[in-house]
Amino acid sequence: MVKHSDEQLDRIYGAISHPVRRKILEQLGASAATVTALADPFAMSLPAVSKHIRILEAAGLVNRTIDGREHRLALEARPLLPATAWLERYRSFWEARLDLLEDRIRTRARR
Amino acid sequence: MVKHSDEQLDRIYGAISHPVRRKILEQLGASAATVTALADPFAMSLPAVSKHIRILEAAGLVNRTIDGREHRLALEARPLLPATAWLERYRSFWEARLDLLEDRIRTRARR
DNA sequence: CGAATGCTTAACCACTTGGTTTACAATAGT
DNA sequence: ACTATTGTAAACCAAGTGGTTAAGCATTCG
């Protein structure tokens, strides 16, 4: 139970921990695209981009539909929900910290 | 400019992509703790946990204060803010998708 | 048909990750 | 002064990452 969602989080966070893969997701956020179109902005071989795409696919963040010789990739954002949810649990921590900081600044300013 | 925050995101997402490190952060969310205390729940050698902690430290997610022979680790949640912010940009995508799904279900139910 | 396009597979390489064990340094307890 | 505790450092290993080039397979175009 726990293990399954754990591995999903592993794959999601691992997938978005690389700048190229984040950029690819951003591109796909604008519109679906083929592999060569996605690879175009990067100074990198096509197989390298292909590997990144496979990692995104394994994380469930990208859907591939093969149409003739073109592979059309589309963003699949749903798996990002649990990843965001896990992080949201820490929002209170940094907000609390910032509140403390504000308090300290106010206190210092008063005297 | 872009590169710097990129590397920060790389380190953050990389750090939380491992279940042991997420568990450590969760423990630290409850309270600060020493290395051995943090290592206790894991079936793993102390040096292994020590390495995980160093990765969290490098990502800026943990603060270490050395007190005698004990190292007291504390959660530093602020760096999670940009990581959450990046993910939040995709919230609209999955919400839109869910809306579409709901629409489809409603439409199907109507006929 | 022949040639170009889109993409993957395979083999290779350097580097990193995640774990181990062993050894060590420093502090604390008896 | 020992001894136990806390933690790191170093050396090692297997597996994974991130990239390359070369080859190959389908598909489309001329």
Side-chain angles (χ1 to χ4, degrees), chain A residues 28 31-35 62-67 70-74:
Chain A
L28 292 179
S31 85
T34 63
V35 175
V62 147
N63 287 326
R64 182 193 305 253
T65 57
I66 302 181
D67 179 27
E70 291 189 347
H71 295 207
R72 179 153 239 83
L73 288 320

mmCIF file of all heavy atoms in Angstrom, chain A residues 28 31-35 62-67 70-74, chain C residues 7:
data_model
loop_
_atom_site.group_PDB
_atom_site.id
_atom_site.type_symbol
_atom_site.label_atom_id
_atom_site.label_comp_id
_atom_site.label_asym_id
_atom_site.label_seq_id
_atom_site.Cartn_x
_atom_site.Cartn_y
_atom_site.Cartn_z
ATOM 1 N N LEU A 28 5.337 20.676 -23.234
ATOM 2 C CA LEU A 28 4.107 19.912 -23.414
ATOM 3 C C LEU A 28 2.921 20.609 -22.756
ATOM 4 O O LEU A 28 1.775 20.382 -23.138
ATOM 5 C CB LEU A 28 4.276 18.500 -22.851
ATOM 6 C CG LEU A 28 5.249 17.617 -23.635
ATOM 7 C CD1 LEU A 28 5.367 16.249 -22.988
ATOM 8 C CD2 LEU A 28 4.796 17.479 -25.084
ATOM 9 N N SER A 31 1.678 22.717 -25.609
ATOM 10 C CA SER A 31 0.956 21.902 -26.581
ATOM 11 C C SER A 31 1.646 20.562 -26.743
ATOM 12 O O SER A 31 2.838 20.446 -26.458
ATOM 13 C CB SER A 31 0.896 22.609 -27.938
ATOM 14 O OG SER A 31 2.070 22.338 -28.678
ATOM 15 N N ALA A 32 0.926 19.566 -27.206
ATOM 16 C CA ALA A 32 1.518 18.269 -27.510
ATOM 17 C C ALA A 32 2.543 18.450 -28.619
ATOM 18 O O ALA A 32 2.491 19.431 -29.364
ATOM 19 C CB ALA A 32 0.442 17.280 -27.928
ATOM 20 N N ALA A 33 3.493 17.516 -28.703
ATOM 21 C CA ALA A 33 4.569 17.691 -29.687
ATOM 22 C C ALA A 33 5.213 16.356 -30.005
ATOM 23 O O ALA A 33 5.057 15.380 -29.261
ATOM 24 C CB ALA A 33 5.609 18.667 -29.145
ATOM 25 N N THR A 34 5.953 16.320 -31.102
ATOM 26 C CA THR A 34 6.694 15.120 -31.479
ATOM 27 C C THR A 34 8.049 15.118 -30.791
ATOM 28 O O THR A 34 8.454 16.104 -30.174
ATOM 29 C CB THR A 34 6.925 15.084 -32.992
ATOM 30 O OG1 THR A 34 7.740 16.207 -33.354
ATOM 31 C CG2 THR A 34 5.610 15.168 -33.748
ATOM 32 N N VAL A 35 8.756 14.016 -30.916
ATOM 33 C CA VAL A 35 10.050 13.870 -30.263
ATOM 34 C C VAL A 35 11.052 14.894 -30.815
ATOM 35 O O VAL A 35 11.724 15.590 -30.056
ATOM 36 C CB VAL A 35 10.595 12.440 -30.451
ATOM 37 C CG1 VAL A 35 11.994 12.330 -29.867
ATOM 38 C CG2 VAL A 35 9.659 11.431 -29.814
ATOM 39 N N VAL A 62 3.647 11.542 -19.185
ATOM 40 C CA VAL A 62 3.556 11.797 -20.619
ATOM 41 C C VAL A 62 2.848 10.626 -21.287
ATOM 42 O O VAL A 62 3.084 9.469 -20.944
ATOM 43 C CB VAL A 62 4.983 11.982 -21.185
ATOM 44 C CG1 VAL A 62 5.078 11.468 -22.600
ATOM 45 C CG2 VAL A 62 5.420 13.442 -21.088
ATOM 46 N N ASN A 63 1.979 10.939 -22.206
ATOM 47 C CA ASN A 63 1.303 9.915 -22.999
ATOM 48 C C ASN A 63 1.816 9.945 -24.427
ATOM 49 O O ASN A 63 1.964 11.022 -24.998
ATOM 50 C CB ASN A 63 -0.205 10.145 -23.012
ATOM 51 C CG ASN A 63 -0.822 9.801 -21.677
ATOM 52 O OD1 ASN A 63 -0.372 8.890 -20.991
ATOM 53 N ND2 ASN A 63 -1.843 10.547 -21.294
ATOM 54 N N ARG A 64 2.067 8.765 -24.967
ATOM 55 C CA ARG A 64 2.579 8.684 -26.324
ATOM 56 C C ARG A 64 1.529 8.043 -27.228
ATOM 57 O O ARG A 64 1.010 6.979 -26.918
ATOM 58 C CB ARG A 64 3.853 7.841 -26.330
ATOM 59 C CG ARG A 64 4.527 7.713 -27.693
ATOM 60 C CD ARG A 64 5.583 6.616 -27.658
ATOM 61 N NE ARG A 64 6.541 6.841 -26.598
ATOM 62 C CZ ARG A 64 7.808 7.253 -26.807
ATOM 63 N NH1 ARG A 64 8.229 7.460 -28.018
ATOM 64 N NH2 ARG A 64 8.616 7.433 -25.785
ATOM 65 N N THR A 65 1.255 8.691 -28.356
ATOM 66 C CA THR A 65 0.408 8.080 -29.371
ATOM 67 C C THR A 65 1.191 8.068 -30.666
ATOM 68 O O THR A 65 1.656 9.109 -31.128
ATOM 69 C CB THR A 65 -0.902 8.858 -29.561
ATOM 70 O OG1 THR A 65 -0.596 10.207 -29.895
ATOM 71 C CG2 THR A 65 -1.740 8.841 -28.301
ATOM 72 N N ILE A 66 1.363 6.859 -31.204
ATOM 73 C CA ILE A 66 2.164 6.695 -32.407
ATOM 74 C C ILE A 66 1.268 6.838 -33.627
ATOM 75 O O ILE A 66 0.257 6.147 -33.753
ATOM 76 C CB ILE A 66 2.867 5.321 -32.404
ATOM 77 C CG1 ILE A 66 3.736 5.211 -31.149
ATOM 78 C CG2 ILE A 66 3.692 5.143 -33.657
ATOM 79 C CD1 ILE A 66 4.496 3.917 -31.034
ATOM 80 N N ASP A 67 1.680 7.758 -34.497
ATOM 81 C CA ASP A 67 0.889 8.040 -35.689
ATOM 82 C C ASP A 67 1.843 7.983 -36.876
ATOM 83 O O ASP A 67 2.554 8.938 -37.161
ATOM 84 C CB ASP A 67 0.242 9.431 -35.553
ATOM 85 C CG ASP A 67 -0.578 9.776 -36.788
ATOM 86 O OD1 ASP A 67 -1.061 8.854 -37.453
ATOM 87 O OD2 ASP A 67 -0.713 10.983 -37.081
ATOM 88 N N GLU A 70 5.590 9.281 -36.699
ATOM 89 C CA GLU A 70 5.669 10.330 -35.669
ATOM 90 C C GLU A 70 5.095 9.844 -34.343
ATOM 91 O O GLU A 70 4.055 9.190 -34.314
ATOM 92 C CB GLU A 70 4.913 11.579 -36.133
ATOM 93 C CG GLU A 70 5.575 12.291 -37.296
ATOM 94 C CD GLU A 70 4.908 13.629 -37.579
ATOM 95 O OE1 GLU A 70 3.804 13.866 -37.037
ATOM 96 O OE2 GLU A 70 5.486 14.426 -38.332
ATOM 97 N N HIS A 71 5.798 10.204 -33.279
ATOM 98 C CA HIS A 71 5.281 9.912 -31.947
ATOM 99 C C HIS A 71 4.796 11.218 -31.347
ATOM 100 O O HIS A 71 5.589 12.153 -31.180
ATOM 101 C CB HIS A 71 6.367 9.309 -31.061
ATOM 102 C CG HIS A 71 6.850 7.969 -31.528
ATOM 103 N ND1 HIS A 71 7.369 7.030 -30.679
ATOM 104 C CD2 HIS A 71 6.861 7.402 -32.757
ATOM 105 C CE1 HIS A 71 7.705 5.943 -31.358
ATOM 106 N NE2 HIS A 71 7.414 6.150 -32.634
ATOM 107 N N ARG A 72 3.539 11.294 -31.045
ATOM 108 C CA ARG A 72 2.981 12.529 -30.482
ATOM 109 C C ARG A 72 2.915 12.387 -28.960
ATOM 110 O O ARG A 72 2.224 11.505 -28.438
ATOM 111 C CB ARG A 72 1.601 12.797 -31.088
ATOM 112 C CG ARG A 72 0.952 14.053 -30.540
ATOM 113 C CD ARG A 72 -0.024 14.674 -31.545
ATOM 114 N NE ARG A 72 0.330 16.049 -31.897
ATOM 115 C CZ ARG A 72 1.230 16.404 -32.822
ATOM 116 N NH1 ARG A 72 1.881 15.479 -33.479
ATOM 117 N NH2 ARG A 72 1.495 17.678 -33.060
ATOM 118 N N LEU A 73 3.645 13.247 -28.262
ATOM 119 C CA LEU A 73 3.670 13.210 -26.793
ATOM 120 C C LEU A 73 2.724 14.262 -26.228
ATOM 121 O O LEU A 73 2.672 15.385 -26.729
ATOM 122 C CB LEU A 73 5.075 13.478 -26.266
ATOM 123 C CG LEU A 73 6.157 12.411 -26.423
ATOM 124 C CD1 LEU A 73 5.574 11.031 -26.153
ATOM 125 C CD2 LEU A 73 6.797 12.456 -27.788
ATOM 126 N N ALA A 74 1.995 13.866 -25.183
ATOM 127 C CA ALA A 74 1.074 14.794 -24.534
ATOM 128 C C ALA A 74 1.310 14.768 -23.031
ATOM 129 O O ALA A 74 1.639 13.728 -22.458
ATOM 130 C CB ALA A 74 -0.370 14.421 -24.854
ATOM 131 P P DC C 7 9.345 12.059 -34.147
ATOM 132 O OP1 DC C 7 7.994 12.136 -33.546
ATOM 133 O OP2 DC C 7 10.247 13.228 -34.081
ATOM 134 O "O5'" DC C 7 10.084 10.799 -33.549
ATOM 135 C "C5'" DC C 7 9.430 9.527 -33.642
ATOM 136 C "C4'" DC C 7 10.409 8.413 -33.389
ATOM 137 O "O4'" DC C 7 11.427 8.375 -34.411
ATOM 138 C "C3'" DC C 7 11.189 8.504 -32.083
ATOM 139 O "O3'" DC C 7 10.528 7.733 -31.094
ATOM 140 C "C2'" DC C 7 12.564 7.928 -32.431
ATOM 141 C "C1'" DC C 7 12.432 7.530 -33.903
ATOM 142 N N1 DC C 7 13.685 7.720 -34.677
ATOM 143 C C2 DC C 7 14.354 6.599 -35.162
ATOM 144 O O2 DC C 7 13.872 5.477 -34.966
ATOM 145 N N3 DC C 7 15.506 6.761 -35.844
ATOM 146 C C4 DC C 7 16.009 7.985 -36.038
ATOM 147 N N4 DC C 7 17.157 8.102 -36.714
ATOM 148 C C5 DC C 7 15.352 9.154 -35.549
ATOM 149 C C6 DC C 7 14.199 8.979 -34.874
#
